[in-house]
Amino acid sequence: MKKYLIAGNWKMHGTKQSVCDLVASLAKLNLASNVDVAVFPTYLHIDYVAQSLSKSTIKVGAQNCAYQEKQGALTGEISAEQLKDIGCKMVLIGHSERRQYLAEANQVLAKKFIAACSVDLVPILCVGETLEQRSSGNYQNIITNQISSIIDIVGIELFSKAIIAYEPIWAIGTGMVATSIQAQEVHLVIRNFLANINTDLANNMQILYGGSLNSTNIKDLLGMPDIDGGLIGGASLSAQDFSLMCNLAGEIN
Ligand code: PEP
């Protein structure tokens, strides 16, 4: 049976009170055996969330990490080692908002990927195309290039520790969700691309879909053969919506 990962990216959202309320609800979740859940609060809230969820199976991750794994002279950054120490299990690498607005390129993302793996944080590598790139018809190559440029630097062995999140940029925060057919097409392209390198890697790789997922479309998308979970932004900020989505994933078999 497929094991789904439902991941909530809280982005730059949350106050002490709203995070406290959200976590109190999530701690009560009764998850189906085929569902894993992870949440990605801001750095400020990771410690509180990790402690509050310590009795739950919900994992806590970070939305980013420094490109050096260890502590050091890098003002304003947080290292993978520090994230591990505070209770993180995973880290998002290369979310499109960081690629777009903070100019994070594949070279630096590969360093972050290596930093994460060096302390056993699972990197969730985010890839996806803009609407223009989709319209150009070249989106499949753009996505596989995003993946291969990381593999070329980190190597296939390290890459096998990752999770991939396919997030079409035009679907993020727009309400324009990819259809299950559009998403499945890209997920299969990614899996076939990996299979050309190593079949086990391809078969074992969890590939999440992200982009305007909500409780009305999640079953449709996660019901597709190559979609292994969801990376959820907006809807993960509502305890009610996110809990419902986790429960709906548990109903897919
Ligand atoms: C995201 O930012 O990773 C995301 C998928 O956002 P949303 O669900 O709001 O589209």
Side-chain angles (χ1 to χ4, degrees), residues 2 4 6 177-185 187 209 211-230 244-245 248-253:
K2 202 195 276 191
Y4 292 104
I6 306 297
V177 65
T179 65
S180 51
I181 293 178
Q182 285 174 318
Q184 166 60 24
E185 181 209 33
H187 282 234
Y209 167 79
S212 296
L213 270 176
N214 59 38
S215 54
T216 59
N217 57 36
I218 192 163
K219 268 185 129 171
D220 201 20
L221 280 140
L222 270 56
M224 300 308 274
D226 289 288
I227 303 185
D228 307 315
L244 179 56
M245 293 168 85
L248 289 169
E251 291 173 10
I252 309 170
N253 44 47

Side-chain angles (χ1 to χ4, degrees), residues 9 11 95 97 167 171-173 210-213 231-234:
N9 174 14
K11 309 196 187 193
H95 189 282
E97 287 153 12
E167 298 205 296
I172 295 182
S212 296
L213 270 176
L231 181 54
I232 300 158

Side-chain angles (χ1 to χ4, degrees), residues 26-133:
L26 297 184
K28 293 185 205 139
L29 259 175
N30 210 342
L31 295 170
S33 58
N34 64 334
V35 178
D36 285 331
V37 174
V39 291
F40 297 77
T42 71
Y43 285 140
L44 287 176
H45 300 120
I46 287 174
D47 188 27
Y48 173 77
V49 175
Q51 287 196 46
S52 306
L53 294 176
S54 60
K55 292 200 179 72
S56 143
T57 57
I58 299 176
K59 296 189 177 104
V60 180
Q63 299 170 21
N64 177 42
C65 68
Y67 62 79
Q68 292 175 354
E69 75 271 31
K70 300 256 186 287
Q71 302 169 48
L74 202 53
T75 304
E77 286 296 276
I78 310 276
S79 73
E81 184 183 78
Q82 290 171 312
L83 293 172
K84 180 80 181 180
D85 179 57
I86 214 80
C88 283
K89 305 280 188 235
M90 302 177 154
V91 59
L92 302 181
I93 303 280
H95 189 282
S96 63
E97 287 153 12
R98 298 196 63 85
R99 290 182 192 255
Q100 260 188 310
Y101 308 129
L102 298 160
E104 288 196 349
N106 291 321
Q107 199 80 18
V108 79
L109 295 177
K111 285 189 182 174
K112 291 180 180 210
F113 188 110
I114 293 168
C117 292
S118 73
V119 293
D120 287 329
L121 287 180
V122 176
I124 302 188
L125 177 68
C126 304
V127 297
E129 82 285 4
T130 63
L131 199 51
E132 269 177 8
Q133 289 168 333

Side-chain angles (χ1 to χ4, degrees), residues 120-194:
D120 287 329
L121 287 180
V122 176
I124 302 188
L125 177 68
C126 304
V127 297
E129 82 285 4
T130 63
L131 199 51
E132 269 177 8
Q133 289 168 333
R134 176 159 276 265
S135 309
S136 76
N138 193 32
Y139 57 98
Q140 298 186 353
N141 284 336
I142 285 163
I143 293 157
T144 51
N145 284 343
Q146 287 172 344
I147 296 171
S148 66
S149 57
I150 301 296
I151 295 178
D152 288 348
I153 300 172
V154 309
I156 201 65
E157 210 181 306
L158 218 52
F159 196 79
S160 67
K161 300 184 188 308
I163 292 172
I164 294 175
Y166 167 56
E167 298 205 296
I169 295 167
W170 47 271
I172 295 182
T174 59
M176 257 172 71
V177 65
T179 65
S180 51
I181 293 178
Q182 285 174 318
Q184 166 60 24
E185 181 209 33
V186 174
H187 282 234
L188 185 58
V189 164
I190 294 173
R191 209 176 296 284
N192 286 341
F193 170 78
L194 297 175

